[in-house]
């Protein structure tokens, strides 16, 4: 669960919960940053409606708010060095990209960049010169059933620092991200819930989500 102080806030906290004997138990919490323009309602597994809330669009520098499934892990390490990850793992090679061109048939997907076959003008390189994508998780926002223009390439990854927002991802210190990667288990169908804390209580009541003791 990721919460911030408001729709325009870029700083927040992530809380890790798991169900034990039918009760939510909090395992950890740590600081995160989200999109530099805060949150906008995203395309998740349920339609979240909050009166007056902004709607997530491509390029708006907002992170998607809502309830999302969590996709593959990715990183710069070889598969043999990522066998401890309990979810599908994709090595971020020099040719791996995420397409953010809303006119492309590959919008919001990870593909190998083949200029001869490309129908995209813009994309994000997954093997960066910095450590942002050294480890990460693909968040299934606007996927499957992708709607062009509603936002793409949303990840959980390593932050620059605790006060610089992202282009729409949720980011944190490397040791905190590794803690999440060691914990996440695809067989247990993990979910990401993220939304400002003002809207969280209502969402939590509607979907039996954990109660949060806020920082």
């Amino acid at each position: 669960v990721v919460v911030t102080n408001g729709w325009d806030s870029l700083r927040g906290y992530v809380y890790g919960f798991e169900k034990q004997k039918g009760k939510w138990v909090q395992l950890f919490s740590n600081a995160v940053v989200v999109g530099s323009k805060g949150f906008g309602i995203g395309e998740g597994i349920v339609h979240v409606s909050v009166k007056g809330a902004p709607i997530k669009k491509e390029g708006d520098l907002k992170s998607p708010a809502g309830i999302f499934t969590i996709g593959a892990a990715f990183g710069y390490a070889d598969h043999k060095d990522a066998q401890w990850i309990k979810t599908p793992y994709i090595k971020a090679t020099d040719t791996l990209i995420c397409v953010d061109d809303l006119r492309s048939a590959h919008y919001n997907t990870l593909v190998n960049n083949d200029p001869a076959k490309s129908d995209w003008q813009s994309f994000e390189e997954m093997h960066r010169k910095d450590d942002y994508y050294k480890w990460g998780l693909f968040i299934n926002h606007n996927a499957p059933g992708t709607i062009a223009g509603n936002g793409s390439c949303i990840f959980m990854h390593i932050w620059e620092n605790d006060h610089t927002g992202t282009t729409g991802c949720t980011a944190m210190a490397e040791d905190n991200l590794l803690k999440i990667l060691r914990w996440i288990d695809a067989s247990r169908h993990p979910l990401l819930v993220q939304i400002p804390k003002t809207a969280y209580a209502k969402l939590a009541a509607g979907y039996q989500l954990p109660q949060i003791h806020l920082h």
Side-chain angles (χ1 to χ4, degrees):
V1 176
V2 173
V3 291
T4 60
N5 282 339
W7 290 97
D8 298 329
S9 303
L10 64 83
R11 299 169 80 169
Y13 285 89
V14 59
Y15 299 81
F17 291 94
E18 83 187 15
K19 268 249 166 96
Q20 295 178 4
K21 297 179 182 164
K23 287 197 167 55
W24 288 115
V25 176
Q26 182 179 315
L27 303 182
F28 60 84
S29 74
N30 58 259
V32 297
V33 293
V34 297
S36 55
K37 300 284 198 219
F39 276 134
I41 298 285
E43 298 281 346
I45 58 170
V46 296
H47 180 69
V48 173
S49 170
V50 180
K51 196 175 174 190
I55 305 297
K56 166 79 187 150
K57 292 292 177 200
E58 183 63 45
D60 62 3
L61 303 180
K62 290 181 184 296
S63 288
I67 304 176
F68 308 95
T69 57
I70 296 173
F74 60 83
Y76 302 164
D78 287 330
H79 282 85
K80 66 177 172 40
D81 299 318
Q83 289 177 356
W84 50 272
I85 295 176
K86 300 181 285 289
T87 189
Y89 175 78
I90 298 168
K91 183 183 177 182
T93 61
D94 288 345
T95 58
L96 189 70
I97 60 168
C98 187
V99 178
D100 57 13
D101 183 342
L102 54 87
R103 290 170 295 278
S104 167
H106 302 278
Y107 177 65
N108 198 28
T109 61
L110 294 172
V111 295
N112 275 308
N113 193 11
D114 180 349
K117 294 182 192 158
S118 90
D119 68 343
W120 51 80
Q121 302 297 316
S122 66
F123 57 85
E124 182 143 2
E125 291 186 358
M126 296 304 296
H127 192 189
R128 297 171 54 107
K129 305 272 191 292
D130 54 41
D131 280 346
Y132 291 176
Y133 294 174
K134 180 180 172 188
W135 299 107
L137 283 163
F138 197 88
I139 304 305
N140 294 326
H141 155 71
N142 196 19
T146 303
I147 300 166
N150 282 14
S152 63
C153 307
I154 302 297
F155 314 125
M156 205 170 252
H157 66 72
I158 298 169
W159 69 15
E160 185 170 340
N161 52 47
D162 68 357
H163 56 270
T164 303
T166 68
T167 57
C169 297
T170 298
M172 65 196 78
E174 181 175 354
D175 57 342
N176 288 326
L177 183 62
L178 284 167
K179 179 175 59 188
I180 289 176
L181 271 174
R182 286 191 193 99
W183 171 59
I184 289 279
D185 183 342
S187 71
R188 300 188 68 185
H189 310 293
L191 295 175
L192 171 66
V193 180
Q194 49 181 27
I195 200 160
K197 58 191 180 190
T198 48
Y200 181 76
K202 188 177 173 194
L203 197 64
Y207 292 99
Q208 288 86 51
L209 301 176
Q211 294 300 311
I212 288 180
H213 304 293
L214 295 164
H215 283 264

